[in-house]
Structure formats: C-alpha cells, structure tokens
Amino acid sequence: MASPGFAADCGREDIDHYLDRGFTPQQVLELCRGQAGSSSAPTLEQAHVRGEHLRFLRDAVDGHDLSLGEDVLAFSRDLCVKYDRPNYAEQRKSACGVAHYKIGLQGLKVLEASRKVVFWGSNEVRVGSPLLEKDYQLGQDALSERDQRKLAEELGKDAQAVLIPVREGVAVDAVRARLEELAR
C-alpha cells in the first residue's frame, strides 16, 4: 500500500478510516487511486454505507470476530448444543464451544426475525443463503462415536439456515433491515 501514487491520493487519516471500517487494503488502494468509478471498485458512498453496516452489525450481533467482506458476512459465537434423548431426570447431554459461520451475501434471505418476550425465546434473526459455511468446535473429538453421531444429527437439522443472535436492547427489526440491505 505504500506506492508513490497511493500517498498522493489519500492521507493517512483516510487510509485509517477505511481500514477501521473493514475494507481490505486492496479496496482502500482502489478507492484512493481514484478507481472508485470503475465497476469493480466500490464508490466512496458505497464504502461509507458498507462501513456503517459493519459498525452497526458489530454492535448488534451477539457474537465475536464479525467481519464483512466483499461477498461474505462472517462471525463466531459461543454455542452449547443439547443432543440425544432425555435421561430419567429429563436432562439431555450437551456440548459447548465456538461456532464459526460464513454467510454469502449473494442470494441472502432473511427467513425469520424473533424477539424475546419477557423470559421466553431469544432475540435472533434466521437467514438463509446458497453459500453457508459452518464450523463447530464443540469438543466433538472427546465424545463417543454414538454421541458424535447424535450431535452431528442435531447440528445438521437446519443445514440451510443460520441463526444470528442479537444483543439485548437492539431492535431485531433494525438488524433484519441491515441484512436485507446487504443482500444482493
């Protein structure tokens, strides 16, 4: 990024501004060199809107490591999954850890948005996309083969969608609207 033409078109503040908003160094380079008018590079207005979406989603989504790429929304969240039949005490086995998600923005659809009502339910938005990648690190290796199979069945129940948890105090409809704007 330290090419001679680059420094002439953008100041350090401009560069930091775009990098802080989640743009890749290549995108910042294209913006600063004046290629924003080309069809492959985003315009300054699009870049600003994308940065606003990223900031809002980082504050709204109850997860971590949220990033917004050119074609993908990615985030991680802590997750506990209950699986297997209940035992005599009506308790099910559970596995806890971290889940990583990558959701393609091309063809993204908001399937459902639900709000917590007093003590029941949770704030979440359920989305579907042709490109969904899910990586679960729930300690599956330590489970018996039977438990691994049961956990895999539970995790595979909704393979076509991802639940995006929304923080308390954030309007679920606002998150839904932002995701719909990002969908292409």
Side-chain angles (χ1 to χ4, degrees):
M1 285 188 19
S3 67
F6 183 69
D9 294 338
C10 277
R12 188 72 218 161
E13 276 185 23
D14 297 326
I15 295 168
D16 290 340
H17 172 80
Y18 290 118
L19 289 175
D20 289 344
R21 271 134 190 94
F23 291 96
T24 65
Q26 183 62 35
Q27 290 171 326
V28 175
L29 182 63
E30 289 172 1
L31 285 169
C32 289
R33 282 194 175 159
Q35 297 175 358
S38 73
S39 62
S40 65
T43 64
L44 290 174
E45 184 177 329
Q46 289 171 332
H48 177 71
V49 169
R50 193 168 198 79
E52 291 295 320
H53 287 319
L54 178 62
R55 269 196 313 280
F56 175 80
L57 290 173
R58 281 186 176 160
D59 291 339
V61 173
D62 193 9
H64 43 88
D65 301 331
L66 188 129
S67 64
L68 182 60
E70 190 78 21
D71 300 323
V72 175
L73 171 68
F75 72 98
S76 301
R77 67 182 276 209
D78 298 326
L79 181 69
C80 284
V81 178
K82 293 189 181 290
Y83 64 96
D84 208 359
R85 296 183 313 263
N87 61 15
Y88 293 116
E90 296 295 320
Q91 296 174 337
R92 296 175 69 194
K93 295 178 183 177
S94 66
C96 295
V98 177
H100 305 281
Y101 302 100
K102 286 187 180 178
I103 305 165
L105 298 176
Q106 184 77 29
L108 177 120
K109 293 195 184 326
V110 177
L111 305 172
E112 181 182 8
S114 59
R115 291 179 203 86
K116 184 176 183 177
V117 179
V118 186
F119 299 113
W120 295 278
S122 57
N123 294 333
E124 58 194 15
V125 178
R126 187 170 164 256
V127 298
S129 173
L131 171 67
L132 285 178
E133 292 180 24
K134 302 176 183 181
D135 179 29
Y136 299 103
Q137 297 172 348
L138 306 176
Q140 295 101 312
D141 298 340
L143 301 176
S144 69
E145 284 184 34
R146 179 186 177 284
D147 283 348
Q148 286 180 16
R149 195 172 52 252
K150 292 290 186 183
L151 180 59
E153 287 172 14
E154 189 68 33
L155 293 172
K157 280 186 178 176
D158 201 1
Q160 302 302 316
V162 170
L163 286 175
I164 301 175
V166 178
R167 293 183 197 278
E168 290 285 328
V170 176
V172 173
D173 291 332
V175 175
R176 176 187 196 131
R178 293 289 178 133
L179 291 171
E180 288 172 342
E181 285 181 40
L182 286 171
R184 295 188 228 154

